[in-house]
Amino acid sequence: MRRSVVEQNEKVAALPAYSRLTWERAGWISRLWWVPIVALAMAVRFYQLTAAAIWGDEGSSLLLSEYAVGDLWFHAAHDVHPPLYFLILRGWIELFGDSIGSIRSMSAIPGVVAVGLGIWLTRQLSTRRAAVLAGVLLALLPTAVRYSQEVRMYSLLAVWLLGATLALVYWVRNPERTRYLAMYVVLMSAGFYTHYFTALCVLVHWAYLGVLWRTQPRGQRLLARPAWWLSNSVIVLLYLPWLPNLLDLVQHVEQLKVGGDIGWEDPVGLLSLPSMIWQFVLQDEGVGFWAPLFWAFPMLLAGIVGVTVWRDREHYRPASLLALFLLVPLLLVYGVSFVSPVFIERYLTVYALGLPILVALAIDRLPSRLAWLGAALFVLFVGVELVGLKNNFTVDEHDQFNVPVEFVNRNYQEDDRIVLSDMMWYLSYVYYDQTDAQLQLYTPPKPDGTPTRPNAYGFGTLVDQDGGRIYLDRLSALPAETRRVWLISSNEAPDDFAPLPEGWRELSRQDGGGARARLFVLCNVASAQPEGCR
C-alpha cells in the first residue's frame, strides 16, 4: 500500500513536467504555421512548370546567359534590362543544366521565397491571422504564379523588393539598428541591377517615410536622419558602374523603338487600369465581360484599399505602406503610358503583391460582428484567383512552339536552310534547335527601301555581331545550290514570306503555338531536280 502511494505521488509530480514538455512541443509546432502556406505556393508554382514552350523573352534570357561574364555585361547594357538576373542564370545553368525544368525552377524558387517574405512582412505589420490570410492569397495570386514560371527576372525582383521593404519596416521600428539599413542597401542595389522599375520602389519608400513624418516628433523624423540619406547615397554609388550603360540606353530609345523592344504596347485608355487589375487576379483583361461586372470587381478592391488606408490609425501606418507599394507604381506607370506606353503586367507584377496583403489586412480588421463579410471577401478573392490559375494552367502541350521545331528536327536533312520571319520566333527557336543549320532571320526591306534589320540595341544585340550570316533580306539571296528550305513564320494570314520565289514547292508543314514550319523544295535549281519536283 505504501509503495502504491509513493508511485502515485511520483506520477502526480511528473504531470507538470509532462505538461510543460507537451506545451513546448506544441509551441514549436505552432511556430511552423507558415509551412503549409509556403508548401501551397511551391505546389502551385511547380505545377505544369514545363508545360508551356519557351517563348521569345525567355529565349533572350537564355541567349544572354550563354555569354562570358564580360560579354554578358556588354550585351545586357544594350538590352532593356540590367545584368544581375542573367549572371545568376548563367551560374545556375552551369550547376543544374539548361533543361526547361531547371531554368524555370530558377524563377519558381524565388517565387516561393517571395510568398514567404510577404507572409513575414504581413506578420510584422499586423496579426498572425492577417499573415495567414495574406499568405494564402499571395500563394494563389495568378500574376505572381505566371511570372514564377518564366525564365525572366520578375520573381527574383520580388524577392529583392519585398526583402528591402521588410528591412525598411524593421529599421522604422528600430532606427538605432543600422544593420537593417545595411541589408536595405544590399537588397535595393540588387533590385536596381535586376530591373529598372526598382526606381518605383524607391519612390514608395520615400513616400512612406513622408507619411510617417507627421506622426513623428521633431528631431526624430526618420526621413531627415543622416543614416537614411547615407544609405541611399551608398545605393547610388553602388549603381554608378552601371549608370553609363543606362544613360547610353536612354540615348538610343529610338533604336529600341525601331527594333520593337519598346513602344510596342498599345496606348492606354480609360479601361486600361481596371483591365490591369483583372490581369493581376484573373489573367484576363476582362474587356469582353459584362460592363457592370468589369467595373464592379476593380471598384470593390479599390474600395477595400481606400477604407483600409482611411482607417489606418496604427503608429507605423502599415496599410499606408502597402497602399503606396501597390498604387504609386501602378498609377505612375499608367500616367506615363499616355506619353510612352509601358503599362505592362509583368513590369508591375511585383507591386501587385501589395493587393492580396491589403485585402488580408482589411479582412483581419473587420469587427467580429462582420466576420461573415470577411469570410465572403476571402472566398470571393480566392475564387477569382482559382479561375485565374485555371487560365494560367490551360495549356495544350500539342499546340506549343516546340512542336513545329521538333518537326523540323526530325525531318531535317544536311544542307537544309532554316529561315525565320520574326526575331521573337528566332529567340525561342534557338533553344529547341537540334540541327547543324545556320538559322537565318528574314529581314526584307520596307516598300520605301528602309531596312528592317535589327540594330545593336534591344534583342538585336544578341544577333547583330553575326548579322552577316544571320540576316537574309531576300529569299532569292539564298545560295544557288540550296535545294530545301524550312520557313518558320506565324500561322496567321498574311504570309510573312509572300511572295515566294518561282519554283518553290511545299512538301510538308506543321503548326504549333501560333507558328508554322513549312518545308519547301526548290525546283528551279540548275543541278539535278531535287526529290519532290518530279
Side-chain angles (χ1 to χ4, degrees):
M1 175 67 72
R2 186 178 185 84
R3 182 178 179 183
S4 176
V5 171
V6 172
E7 289 178 350
Q8 287 180 4
N9 289 337
E10 289 176 349
K11 290 179 180 178
V12 171
L15 283 176
Y18 176 77
S19 299
R20 286 196 301 272
L21 181 59
T22 304
W23 177 256
E24 289 172 0
R25 287 177 177 173
W28 178 79
I29 294 173
S30 69
R31 288 194 293 271
L32 298 179
W33 55 270
W34 51 271
V35 172
I37 303 173
V38 172
L40 173 65
M42 181 175 292
V44 171
R45 280 154 182 75
F46 278 88
Y47 177 69
Q48 286 197 325
L49 184 64
T50 63
I54 296 293
W55 72 291
D57 276 14
E58 293 180 291
S60 72
S61 297
L62 295 169
L63 284 177
L64 259 174
S65 69
E66 291 180 0
Y67 287 104
V69 173
D71 292 333
L72 192 155
W73 182 276
F74 170 82
H75 288 292
H78 286 68
D79 191 27
V80 292
H81 296 296
L84 181 58
Y85 170 79
F86 309 111
L87 288 167
I88 296 174
L89 179 61
R90 172 182 170 80
W92 181 275
I93 290 174
E94 288 181 357
L95 288 174
F96 304 108
D98 65 351
S99 70
I100 190 168
S102 169
I103 56 181
R104 283 187 173 157
S105 292
M106 211 201 89
S107 294
I109 293 172
V112 175
V113 173
V115 172
L117 288 172
I119 296 171
W120 189 358
L121 177 62
T122 309
R123 185 65 186 92
Q124 292 304 308
L125 298 175
S126 189
T127 65
R128 179 185 292 189
R129 184 175 71 162
V132 170
L133 295 173
V136 173
L137 297 179
L138 285 168
L140 300 177
L141 186 65
T143 189
V145 174
R146 174 177 179 179
Y147 293 108
S148 295
Q149 295 188 322
E150 289 196 357
V151 190
R152 298 295 278 172
M153 70 290 297
Y154 306 110
S155 63
L156 183 64
L157 182 66
V159 171
W160 304 143
L161 300 191
L162 284 177
T165 303
L166 184 61
L168 178 65
V169 168
Y170 272 97
W171 178 70
V172 166
R173 292 184 175 182
N174 301 277
E176 305 307 321
R177 297 187 177 180
T178 54
R179 66 174 181 269
Y180 296 134
L181 281 181
M183 184 59 67
Y184 179 83
V185 168
V186 171
L187 292 167
M188 287 300 292
S189 299
F192 271 110
Y193 275 97
T194 300
H195 200 281
Y196 294 124
F197 272 35
T198 297
L200 299 172
C201 194
V202 173
L203 298 179
V204 169
H205 294 161
W206 279 77
Y208 173 57
L209 295 185
V211 169
L212 295 181
W213 177 279
R214 294 181 295 117
T215 69
Q216 295 166 341
R218 186 180 298 275
Q220 298 182 23
R221 290 168 174 165
L222 297 176
L223 194 59
R225 288 213 171 200
W228 172 248
W229 286 82
L230 177 62
S231 299
N232 283 268
S233 300
V234 172
I235 293 172
V236 173
L237 288 174
L238 291 174
Y239 196 64
L240 285 180
W242 186 255
L243 189 59
N245 298 317
L246 173 59
L247 297 177
D248 183 66
L249 198 64
V250 171
Q251 293 175 0
H252 292 86
V253 167
E254 290 304 317
Q255 287 181 265
L256 289 168
K257 289 181 178 179
V258 170
D261 296 275
I262 64 171
W264 52 266
E265 182 74 2
D266 294 332
V268 296
L270 180 63
L271 303 182
S272 300
L273 203 54
S275 277
M276 183 64 75
I277 301 300
W278 279 114
Q279 281 185 276
F280 287 155
V281 299
L282 195 66
Q283 291 299 281
D284 189 307
E285 295 182 352
V287 292
F289 293 174
W290 180 46
L293 174 62
F294 173 79
W295 288 100
F297 188 70
M299 292 298 291
L300 172 63
L301 295 179
I304 291 172
V305 172
V307 171
T308 305
V309 173
W310 178 66
R311 296 180 60 196
D312 191 20
R313 297 292 183 267
E314 296 184 25
H315 182 64
Y316 296 111
R317 299 294 191 270
S320 298
L321 170 59
L322 295 169
L324 289 169
F325 191 84
L326 170 67
L327 296 178
V328 167
L330 189 66
L331 296 178
L332 185 59
V333 175
Y334 176 64
V336 168
S337 293
F338 281 95
V339 179
S340 179
V342 287
F343 200 55
I344 303 168
E345 178 198 2
R346 56 184 177 271
Y347 293 170
L348 293 166
T349 191
V350 58
Y351 300 107
L353 298 176
L355 179 59
I357 302 178
L358 274 165
V359 171
L361 258 64
I363 295 172
D364 182 60
R365 293 181 176 184
L366 286 172
S368 56
R369 68 177 184 278
L370 295 178
W372 62 270
L373 178 59
L377 288 175
F378 182 75
V379 170
L380 173 63
F381 202 94
V382 168
V384 174
E385 286 187 322
L386 290 176
V387 176
L389 290 178
K390 180 178 180 296
N391 292 337
N392 265 347
F393 297 144
T394 302
V395 176
D396 183 355
E397 295 187 16
H398 302 291
D399 187 22
Q400 297 293 309
F401 181 70
N402 61 299
V403 173
V405 183
E406 289 167 359
F407 177 77
V408 176
N409 291 337
R410 290 193 303 271
N411 295 281
Y412 175 83
Q413 294 182 9
E414 188 177 0
D415 296 328
D416 281 2
R417 293 279 174 168
I418 301 176
V419 184
L420 299 103
S421 67
D422 187 87
M423 173 66 82
M424 297 303 286
W425 297 130
Y426 179 92
L427 294 172
S428 48
Y429 195 103
V430 171
Y431 177 75
Y432 292 104
D433 181 40
Q434 296 179 2
T435 71
D436 59 359
Q438 170 61 61
L439 303 180
Q440 292 188 275
L441 184 63
Y442 187 51
T443 54
K446 296 179 180 178
D448 62 359
T450 304
T452 62
R453 290 187 173 190
N455 51 61
Y457 284 84
F459 289 147
T461 189
L462 302 175
V463 296
D464 188 67
Q465 69 276 17
D466 293 321
R469 295 184 297 118
I470 292 176
Y471 300 144
L472 181 68
D473 294 342
R474 299 178 308 279
L475 292 177
S476 58
L478 288 167
E481 65 274 13
T482 302
R483 293 170 175 261
R484 299 188 351 150
V485 178
W486 293 92
L487 299 183
I488 316 297
S489 62
S490 169
N491 60 7
E492 298 179 357
D495 184 355
D496 297 336
F497 291 102
L500 295 174
E502 185 178 354
W504 285 39
R505 179 177 299 176
E506 182 177 336
L507 293 183
S508 59
R509 66 170 58 186
Q510 176 67 59
D511 288 5
R516 172 171 292 162
R518 292 175 291 170
L519 173 61
F520 288 88
V521 61
L522 278 59
C523 297
N524 56 349
V525 294
S527 57
Q529 291 291 298
E531 183 179 353
C533 292
R534 297 184 289 275

